[in-house]
Every structure is written in structure tokens, then in C-alpha cells.
Amino acid sequence: MQHLQLDNTFWQFALALYGKAGVAEILLALQDEHGLDINLILYLAWLGESRIRIDEKALQPVLS
């Protein structure tokens, strides 16, 4: 089993955003009603907040 380092900027961002009032409920509704991936949504939000550009080719491994 791979050990995950949970002390990184993405993880801290994801915890903070998910913990804001109403965010968890919205993300869970998107997951349940539309089959969206909460982790992917949080990752893309972090990329945007961090002003990191990523193209579709780079996203292919996480979209598969």
C-alpha cells in the first residue's frame, strides 16, 4: 500500500474548502445527482486557485 503524504497544499486546500458551510452538501449532491467526482472537483478548484494551467492531455490519467 502506498503511503500518502497528507501535509501538502492541495490537501490543506481541499479540507478547508470542503469544511466551509454548505460546500460538502453541494459536492455530495453533484456526486449523487450527476456522478461527478468530488476529489476531481476539489483538485480542479485547487489548480485554479493556485493559477496552475493544465491541459486535457495532462488530465487524461485522472479522467480515465
Side-chain angles (χ1 to χ4, degrees):
M1 176 179 258
Q2 184 179 14
H3 181 283
L4 299 176
Q5 181 183 358
L6 299 180
D7 184 23
N8 60 65
T9 57
F10 165 67
W11 184 246
Q12 298 305 316
F13 172 85
L15 287 177
L17 181 58
Y18 194 84
K20 289 186 178 185
V23 172
E25 292 81 6
I26 291 168
L27 291 175
L28 289 169
L30 288 171
Q31 174 181 269
D32 294 343
E33 296 171 21
H34 303 285
L36 298 179
D37 183 325
I38 291 174
N39 291 318
L40 183 56
I41 293 169
L42 290 169
Y43 179 62
L44 294 172
W46 175 74
L47 288 173
E49 178 74 17
S50 302
R51 299 186 184 275
I52 298 171
R53 295 186 133 223
I54 190 165
D55 61 19
E56 185 178 342
K57 184 178 178 182
L59 278 177
Q60 283 303 21
V62 296
L63 296 176
S64 307

